[in-house]
Amino acid sequence: MDITLIWYLVPALVMFCCGVYGFLTRRNMIAMLISLELMLNAVDINFVVFNRYLYPGSMEGWMFTLFGIAIAAAETALAIAIIINLFRVSKNIDVRDTTKMKY
Amino acid sequence: MDITIPILILAIPLFMFLFLGLAGVKMSHKLAGTLGTLGMGTVLVLSYYTAFTYYFSGNPLFIDGTDRLQYEVFNVTWLQFTDFLSIKLGFLLDPISAMMLVVIPTISFMVHVYSLGYMHGEKGFQRYYAFLSLFSFSMLGLVVATNIFQMYIFWELVGASSFLLIGFFYTLPSAVAACKKAFIVTRFADLGFLLGILILSFYTKQLDFLPMTQNPQGVFASFGGATFMGASVLTWALVLIFTGGMGKSAMLPLHIWLPDAMEGPTPVSALIHAATMVVAGVYLVARLFPLYMLENAALMFITVVGAVTAFYAAIVACTQIDIKRILAFSTISQIAFMMVSLGVAAHNNEAIHHGLGYMASMFHLFTHAMFKALLFLGAGALIHAVHSNNYTAMGGLRKYMPVTHITFLIGCLAIAGIPPFAGFWSKDEILVACFENHWFWGAWMMMVAAMTAFYMFRMYFLVFWWDNPDYEARVKEAEAHGHHAAMPHDPSFPMLFPLVFLAAVSTVCGLIPFGQLVTFDGSEYIAHLNLPVAGASVAIAVIAIFFARHLYINKNDNPKAMADKVRWLWEAAHHRFYWDEIYLFITRRIIFDGICKPIAWFDRHVIDGTMNGLAYITNQASVAIKGFQSGKVQMYIWWYLIGAVVLGLITAVCIL
């Protein structure tokens, strides 16, 4: 049995949709952050797979994946820092209660 | 010739302006006044040296046999626009600029000295001296200009310094109004000057005086007979340039600023509005005279404007009460004399020597500067003593101010044209030039000369004779109380010295052999006293003086009775024939109400309305949609997701 492109794309799509669902529905900011990571990883898988199957000679997809992982790490650190500070101030990280930044 | 001295002549007043203007606040009045006066004294010596070198050294640069040459001491390019059009700055020595190098520093120095006394203790004394230096710099730069654009630059500078000095007492609303009026009217006239310069340089491809005036036929040829509205373009250019001169020299109908300019300090009136700046228009025409000679139409225009102005100003001067206004109108009238003299120098008749009118005009410019400055400074002494500008507050002052009286009398005799005083010689030559052109101009100007004698002696007798019992009463009252009354008295030395000096000059300067020094083409012109004209003008002046003496020597009701007989004429002349009212009518009713207000309405309602409408729409739109920024992060994500899906669908639909 051949492992084709679609074998990778379907799990990546499932991961991405789980990430979107979690990001839209979870109230805890940490959980939202995890969902966000899920989406990013799905995208990373897509990059690698497309590179492997469509353009085997080149490296751009891998490079983008590495960039993606690095940026995701940095962004997670930033988000965690914001969330911790928010928790220190309000003892609460429920995203539905954090609505001060409006007009 | 070495260029150091000419550069210093311009640099010293400029430096003094900057120095006194910037550092003056830290100085005492005495130091600032002394510095300014010393600076001007240095300029006086240097420019006398330059002028005398030019006239009398016999250097082949300046004189060829008996022909005086025009010599550019230096002429450097300042701004290069195109290959042939550049603006230069330079120093031109020729008969008329050398003459002005004598006139301007002399009067300016006298005014500097005089102001030490007159402006003593005034607030802003240092500023006053800084402005005087600025004016001297600008005026000297104007007369030595080598090209018409340099002249224009300095022309505007004298206008600006005149504005600053008229408005010196800036807390007086009348002075502020007067300085604005002077600036706006002369600026308006300068628009014509600028247009004239542009037309002239467009056709001749140059701005320098020497190539133009030494080859007028070439200038004429470069215009190629172009015409505009029935007159040649050259005539238009020359008339437009003369318009600038009309503004500066207060010719009808642009004369309205000069009487109001008397709101400035009196020494300023003597320097700027009598002796130097207001003759800039005459100087301009004289500078370009070889071009004017080509166009009789332009010279005719000058003659008519001058003659009408001379008569008008003389009539108005007969009815004014403020002595400075009388002198202002007298100045207008005398400048008009110079203009007419230049105008009648046209050679529409081969028999006459057209050099005479030109020479007479320059001669009158010279003598007039001396005696009019004297009269203004005398008026300043009177105002200083009496604290009023009106002759009604004076009278019988000859007993109290003997030196002022004698010097003022000399000034009046000079302007009235009584030999041997200065005015006689120059005015006589102007009259001869007028008669040589046409008997009408001669007769007309002789009538004006008689009126000049009349109004000057009317003022003289009203100020120095005509009883003023008020003073007698004051003396008696003071004696009764055993102390001296504060009577009007002769001014102190700094004010007295210029009066005496200028009176001496006004007495003798008519004897200068002017024809040998300043002529139109540089060659010597021997003026002969034309006995019939001279005799007639003296006779008519003497008659006018005796008439004035008869009317005004003692207090009586005759003048009033005479005025009552022609009350409408007297009122009209007293109100300067309503020129100011006419101007106000035109500007307020027609220009402001008719043109500016609709434009302002359009601006306020249509243009601003459009802009305000746009701002209002933007504002309302943002108020309407600001609810979207709710602070609920997951709502934003929903909108984002929906948008992304919609965009994806649109793309898919478009591609498939």
Side-chain angles (χ1 to χ4, degrees):
Chain A
M1 188 174 70
D2 268 346
I3 306 289
T4 53
L5 190 59
I6 201 78
W7 287 74
Y8 295 94
L9 292 187
V10 170
L13 181 65
V14 172
M15 269 171 79
F16 189 81
C17 290
C18 291
V20 170
Y21 175 76
F23 199 71
L24 284 171
T25 53
R26 302 311 297 252
R27 303 172 67 173
N28 185 319
M29 285 189 193
I30 301 286
M32 284 175 74
L33 190 60
I34 293 170
S35 309
L36 192 67
E37 288 301 309
L38 216 52
M39 284 190 276
L40 273 166
N41 285 343
V43 172
D44 286 346
I45 289 171
N46 276 12
F47 268 127
V48 173
V49 169
F50 281 126
N51 192 35
R52 172 71 182 75
Y53 279 87
L54 299 183
Y55 303 99
S58 54
M59 306 272 281
E60 282 92 340
W62 297 357
M63 294 308 298
F64 262 106
T65 307
L66 287 176
F67 268 117
I69 292 168
I71 290 171
E75 169 235 293
T76 307
L78 190 68
I80 293 279
I82 292 173
I83 292 166
I84 290 173
N85 275 302
L86 193 66
F87 180 74
R88 282 186 183 161
V89 173
S90 62
K91 305 288 177 214
N92 180 10
I93 51 169
D94 189 328
V95 75
R96 273 162 231 198
D97 298 333
T98 316
T99 55
K100 282 211 170 139
M101 286 180 66
K102 58 182 177 182
Y103 58 85
Chain B
M1 182 178 176
D2 189 26
I3 67 167
T4 320
I5 288 179
I7 285 182
L8 277 180
I9 289 176
L10 293 178
I12 291 175
L14 179 61
F15 171 76
M16 272 303 158
F17 163 62
L18 294 173
F19 185 59
L20 291 177
L22 293 173
V25 187
K26 307 268 180 219
M27 295 178 195
S28 67
H29 286 192
K30 204 168 192 179
L31 179 63
T34 317
L35 276 178
T37 312
L38 282 180
M40 203 57 229
T42 321
V43 174
L44 177 77
V45 172
L46 294 177
S47 44
Y48 273 14
Y49 172 78
T50 311
F52 279 71
T53 311
Y54 177 78
Y55 282 130
F56 304 118
S57 70
N59 189 321
L61 287 175
F62 305 138
I63 190 159
D64 175 24
T66 56
D67 286 357
R68 297 190 186 279
L69 305 175
Q70 295 182 304
Y71 175 66
E72 283 174 353
V73 182
F74 63 88
N75 195 17
V76 291
T77 304
W78 181 43
L79 292 174
Q80 183 88 41
F81 289 133
T82 62
D83 288 341
F84 55 79
L85 189 66
S86 61
I87 293 180
K88 297 176 183 170
L89 289 180
F91 195 104
L92 176 68
L93 265 183
D94 77 340
I96 53 174
S97 71
M99 176 199 78
M100 292 304 276
L101 281 180
V102 174
V103 173
I104 296 164
T106 309
I107 307 292
S108 187
F109 181 68
M110 287 305 143
V111 165
H112 273 76
V113 174
Y114 185 88
S115 301
L116 290 175
Y118 189 83
M119 299 296 286
H120 184 76
E122 290 283 354
K123 189 167 166 285
F125 189 80
Q126 302 97 327
R127 181 164 57 93
Y128 174 81
Y129 269 87
F131 289 163
L132 278 188
S133 298
L134 174 65
F135 174 76
S136 308
F137 162 70
S138 322
M139 194 66 210
L140 287 165
L142 194 160
V143 297
V144 300
T146 53
N147 61 73
I148 198 162
F149 209 89
Q150 184 188 353
M151 197 167 197
Y152 184 69
I153 294 169
F154 284 100
W155 187 274
E156 293 302 331
L157 271 174
V158 287
S161 37
S162 157
F163 166 81
L164 292 169
L165 282 165
I166 297 170
F168 179 74
F169 298 120
Y170 57 81
T171 47
L172 286 180
S174 58
V176 173
C179 74
K180 276 194 291 191
K181 188 175 183 182
F183 195 72
I184 291 169
V185 173
T186 51
R187 253 328 286 155
F188 178 72
D190 294 346
L191 178 68
F193 187 15
L194 184 60
L195 287 178
I197 293 176
L198 293 179
I199 295 173
L200 196 63
S201 60
F202 176 77
Y203 280 98
T204 58
K205 309 286 183 220
Q206 63 191 348
L207 294 164
D208 279 16
F209 286 129
L210 290 194
M212 279 196 259
T213 52
Q214 288 175 350
N215 182 16
Q217 295 306 327
V219 172
F220 189 71
S222 67
F223 274 80
T227 56
F228 176 70
M229 283 171 58
S232 81
V233 173
L234 180 57
T235 307
W236 276 103
L238 293 174
V239 166
L240 280 170
I241 289 176
F242 175 63
T243 312
M246 280 163 73
K248 269 283 183 283
S249 293
M251 294 291 108
L252 220 61
L254 298 170
H255 66 285
I256 51 162
W257 65 274
L258 188 58
D260 285 20
M262 298 300 134
E263 292 292 341
T266 310
V268 167
S269 309
L271 175 61
I272 301 184
H273 307 119
T276 54
M277 187 188 83
V278 287
V279 297
V282 181
Y283 186 80
L284 175 66
V285 176
R287 174 55 78 208
L288 289 172
F289 195 68
L291 301 187
Y292 281 95
M293 293 269 294
L294 297 171
E295 291 292 336
N296 273 334
L299 279 182
M300 195 64 196
F301 181 71
I302 293 176
T303 315
V304 172
V305 168
V308 173
T309 309
F311 181 69
Y312 160 81
I315 280 200
V316 175
C318 293
T319 57
Q320 295 298 304
I321 288 172
D322 181 336
I323 58 172
K324 280 182 77 181
R325 300 275 153 118
I326 300 177
L327 288 173
F329 279 102
S330 150
T331 305
I332 295 175
S333 178
Q334 297 300 307
I335 295 167
F337 258 94
M338 301 171 207
M339 286 290 187
V340 170
S341 178
L342 284 173
V344 296
H347 55 171
N348 51 4
N349 173 358
E350 285 303 316
I352 64 168
H353 193 297
H354 47 258
L356 176 62
Y358 182 90
M359 189 275 274
S361 171
M362 291 298 109
F363 195 12
H364 199 60
L365 193 162
F366 182 83
T367 56
H368 172 258
M370 300 301 165
F371 59 68
K372 188 50 71 64
L374 165 66
L375 286 169
F376 262 106
L377 296 182
L382 292 169
I383 292 166
H384 201 67
V386 180
H387 304 295
S388 167
N389 278 11
N390 297 344
Y391 66 67
T392 45
M394 303 171 187
L397 286 175
R398 68 185 185 285
K399 292 177 206 156
Y400 310 108
M401 307 175 73
V403 182
T404 313
H405 170 221
I406 296 299
T407 50
F408 204 86
L409 177 60
I410 290 174
C412 288
L413 287 169
I415 195 172
I418 304 297
F421 297 98
F424 163 73
W425 305 94
S426 52
K427 193 173 280 181
D428 177 57
E429 271 162 27
I430 289 181
L431 292 177
V432 174
C434 290
F435 273 113
E436 285 194 359
N437 186 286
H438 196 277
W439 65 265
F440 175 75
W441 299 125
W444 179 275
M445 294 320 281
M446 196 170 267
M447 175 181 72
V448 178
M451 287 163 71
T452 308
F454 173 74
Y455 67 70
M456 287 314 292
F457 274 86
R458 167 179 175 270
M459 173 165 83
Y460 165 76
F461 283 116
L462 282 170
V463 168
F464 290 104
W465 296 76
W466 188 273
D467 331 313
N468 195 330
D470 191 17
Y471 292 132
E472 307 292 340
R474 259 204 267 172
V475 172
K476 271 178 198 146
E477 193 190 45
E479 275 169 0
H481 291 84
H483 57 77
H484 285 291
M487 298 304 294
H489 55 83
D490 269 328
S492 56
F493 176 75
M495 286 167 72
L496 221 46
F497 167 69
L499 288 180
V500 175
F501 179 86
L502 287 172
V505 172
S506 303
T507 312
V508 298
C509 76
L511 303 172
I512 296 172
F514 224 74
Q516 294 171 21
L517 301 177
V518 178
T519 50
F520 142 72
D521 49 4
S523 59
E524 212 169 285
Y525 175 78
I526 308 296
H528 299 284
L529 199 57
N530 185 324
L531 271 182
V533 174
S537 75
V538 171
I540 206 166
V542 169
I543 290 169
I545 291 170
F546 273 96
F547 184 51
R549 182 184 180 280
H550 171 72
L551 277 178
Y552 298 110
I553 193 157
N554 285 315
K555 189 163 187 166
N556 62 67
D557 290 333
N558 288 346
K560 193 169 174 301
M562 215 171 79
D564 279 335
K565 269 184 201 152
V566 282
R567 177 52 54 183
W568 61 273
L569 181 64
W570 195 92
E571 283 295 333
H574 183 66
H575 291 104
R576 312 167 199 172
F577 292 97
Y578 304 104
W579 272 101
D580 286 275
E581 285 77 3
I582 292 170
Y583 268 92
L584 279 183
F585 178 77
I586 291 173
T587 51
R588 293 245 169 94
R589 292 276 165 276
I590 297 177
I591 296 180
F592 289 176
D593 286 0
I595 299 172
C596 300
K597 281 194 179 162
I599 291 176
W601 184 90
F602 183 81
D603 183 56
R604 206 168 298 131
H605 291 93
V606 178
I607 295 179
D608 287 5
T610 311
M611 287 297 141
N612 290 343
L614 284 177
Y616 179 77
I617 289 168
T618 314
N619 197 7
Q620 289 304 103
S622 30
V623 167
I625 63 170
K626 74 178 179 181
F628 279 115
Q629 194 188 2
S630 58
K632 294 172 183 150
V633 178
Q634 284 175 326
M635 282 310 291
Y636 301 167
I637 300 165
W638 270 114
W639 284 114
Y640 176 77
L641 187 67
I642 291 167
V645 169
V646 169
L647 273 181
L649 283 178
I650 290 171
T651 318
V653 168
C654 290
I655 290 174
L656 296 178

